[in-house]
Amino acid sequence: MAFGSVLSILGLVLPLLSVNGLRTKRSLCPDGVNTAINQACCALFPIVDDLKENLFDNECGDAAHGALRLVFHDAIGISPSLGGGGADGSIATFNETELTFHANTGIDDVLDAVGPFLQKHSNVLTPGDFIQLAGAISLVQCPGAPRIPFFMGRTHPVAASPPGLVPEPFDSVQTILKRFGEVGFTSDEVVAVVGGSHSIAGADDIVPNEQGVPFDQTPSLFDTQIFVDVQLRGTMFTGQGGQQGEVQSAVAGLVRLQSDHLLARDSATNCAWQSFVNNQPKLAAAFGSGVLKLSLLGQNQAKMTDCSEVIPKAIPFTGGPATLPPGQTMNDIEQACATAAFPSLATQPGPATAVPQIPQAV
Ligand code: HEM
Ligand SMILES: *[C@@H]1O[C@H](CO)[C@@H](O)[C@H](O)[C@H]1NC(C)=O
């Protein structure tokens, strides 16, 4: 078990080491400021700075969350039977088509924020490269999130993604695992990418009349609290809310996706879900390799340029262990995994207060 997680950490770290350590020396970029091993990556440094400062405001906030969601909604648009280009930027170039897909609700706002930067840097990066670079930069705004590699060289998208490829929150676990399985993801990888991303996330659209409703108590920390908050007992909506795939959370201020709720409980995924609780290194490693895999869907890595060296350092994890909200005990955890007990957690002191909404980018 420990061996497995060490291997997965190595899997993530080695590509970075081989880029930064083994290959050759860094030399000065034409800007006279930055240095790079691969001079083809020099043009990316000003773009990275622009995104950090002007798109993300150096924060793990709404804009960073949106850029990460965009990574997924672009990349997952590929299927062995139906076609699609994967992480090709089609969600931006063919927005007129892809934004009509129900599962892409809210991506219009993300593209409103990201689009001007994509246009501004289109002389250097294709839409597919831009979206994946922005996603990698969004992660290093979030304490605890991994620094993932970035490969450059996606060609321009040739067509919109076929409809029906982006999972919906009201899909069953079986449907979700089948969809991800078609593009090579195991059930453990699904739990890592979904749970990890939703630890820095919230809903801007699916909760009627509300924006920035967090999925866990710490939406600007990449941590394992989501795996606790979703395992607390929750009430399935039966009316309109249920149709939208929401579950009433046991924590005031949060919303829970029905898909997250079911991934935490289904026998195919519940032990993997639980295994991330208070295992920050395991989550960061499994999530990092899962997002890298998403970023390469439909792409040929061997033909791409490794520009991982432009990605800034990760922000170390600063939070404490995952906890139960005030007033709740281990009895409020809806144990689902049959083969291991849920890790024992402390309860936060004090009266329960609603988790604040995530301030909106604009
Ligand atoms: C079963 C798969 C998934 C489903 C059904 C799903 C569904 C959703 C839904 C419904 C929202 C809220 C949208 C809104 O109202 O604004 C959301 C937010 C988000 N999702 Fe997912 N998601 C899935 C997987 C993923 C994956 C794999 C990633 C990234 C690797 C991701 C990243 C995010 C992020 C970062 C947000 C927050 C966006 C924001 O706060 O503005 N999701 N997701
Ligand atoms: C698609 O993107 C273009 C360029 O950014 C924008 O002008 C247009 O309004 C977008 N269309 C939709 C449906 O979002």
Side-chain angles (χ1 to χ4, degrees):
M1 165 202 99
F3 188 59
S5 57
V6 167
L7 278 184
S8 56
I9 291 169
L10 284 180
L12 186 66
V13 171
L14 277 181
L16 294 178
L17 284 179
S18 59
V19 165
N20 291 331
L22 304 178
R23 207 202 281 163
T24 60
K25 293 201 310 261
R26 307 182 73 86
S27 51
L28 198 61
C29 288
D31 65 8
V33 179
N34 291 292
T35 57
I37 293 159
N38 189 335
Q39 290 286 303
C41 304
C42 283
L44 302 184
F45 285 109
I47 303 178
V48 170
D49 289 345
D50 189 25
L51 293 178
K52 272 171 45 184
E53 272 146 46
N54 303 316
L55 177 59
F56 301 137
D57 285 328
N58 296 299
E59 278 178 10
C60 182
D62 188 49
H65 302 168
L68 178 60
R69 187 171 180 231
L70 189 61
V71 160
F72 175 53
H73 286 238
D74 189 36
I76 199 68
I78 184 170
S79 137
S81 53
L82 299 172
D88 64 351
S90 64
I91 200 162
T93 304
F94 297 100
N95 63 339
E96 302 279 343
T97 303
E98 294 196 27
L99 295 192
T100 65
F101 303 162
H102 183 266
N104 285 336
T105 302
I107 295 292
D108 54 344
D109 291 336
V110 177
L111 281 174
D112 282 349
V114 171
F117 292 86
L118 184 152
Q119 300 284 350
K120 183 169 149 194
H121 300 295
S122 59
N123 56 331
V124 178
L125 289 168
T126 59
D129 281 343
F130 183 87
I131 288 172
Q132 297 308 321
L133 178 65
I137 305 301
S138 78
L139 289 177
V140 294
Q141 309 310 305
C142 298
R147 173 182 184 267
I148 63 168
F150 170 67
F151 291 88
M152 180 169 71
R154 293 165 189 80
T155 55
H156 279 270
V158 294
S161 159
L165 299 182
V166 183
E168 293 270 20
F170 45 77
D171 286 346
S172 68
V173 169
Q174 196 190 14
T175 299
I176 290 167
L177 294 182
K178 183 160 176 268
R179 176 77 273 275
F180 274 96
E182 281 181 0
V183 293
F185 282 71
T186 65
S187 57
D188 284 6
E189 289 175 321
V190 172
V191 171
V193 290
V194 176
S197 63
H198 288 175
S199 91
I200 40 176
D204 294 338
D205 288 272
I206 63 159
V207 181
N209 309 318
E210 287 192 63
Q211 292 192 303
V213 188
F215 291 159
D216 79 349
Q217 298 180 64
T218 52
S220 40
L221 272 187
F222 182 90
D223 63 0
T224 73
Q225 187 66 41
I226 182 84
F227 297 95
V228 175
D229 292 343
V230 172
Q231 203 81 59
L232 292 167
R233 292 173 207 287
T235 317
M236 299 282 254
F237 284 129
T238 47
Q240 173 68 13
Q243 283 161 27
Q244 291 188 319
E246 296 157 36
V247 172
Q248 177 75 59
S249 171
V251 186
L254 301 189
V255 66
R256 185 184 301 173
L257 296 180
Q258 180 179 300
S259 45
D260 290 354
H261 180 91
L262 296 176
L263 285 167
R265 287 161 178 78
D266 192 283
S267 61
T269 45
N270 54 17
C271 294
W273 185 276
Q274 172 183 299
S275 75
F276 287 115
V277 174
N278 277 334
N279 198 338
Q280 180 78 21
K282 176 178 165 167
L283 178 63
F287 170 80
S289 46
V291 175
L292 175 62
K293 193 164 168 173
L294 282 172
S295 80
L296 294 171
L297 286 178
Q299 309 301 318
N300 181 352
Q301 189 183 339
K303 291 193 175 162
M304 299 168 82
T305 305
D306 188 341
C307 285
S308 305
E309 59 183 316
V310 308
I311 309 295
K313 282 202 281 289
I315 305 177
F317 181 65
T318 47
T323 50
L324 296 164
Q328 305 218 20
T329 70
M330 288 304 292
N331 288 334
D332 295 304
I333 292 286
E334 192 164 47
Q335 175 74 45
C337 174
T339 53
F342 204 83
S344 183
L345 305 171
T347 297
Q348 293 158 32
T353 50
V355 180
Q357 295 191 349
I358 303 163
Q360 293 302 289
V362 178

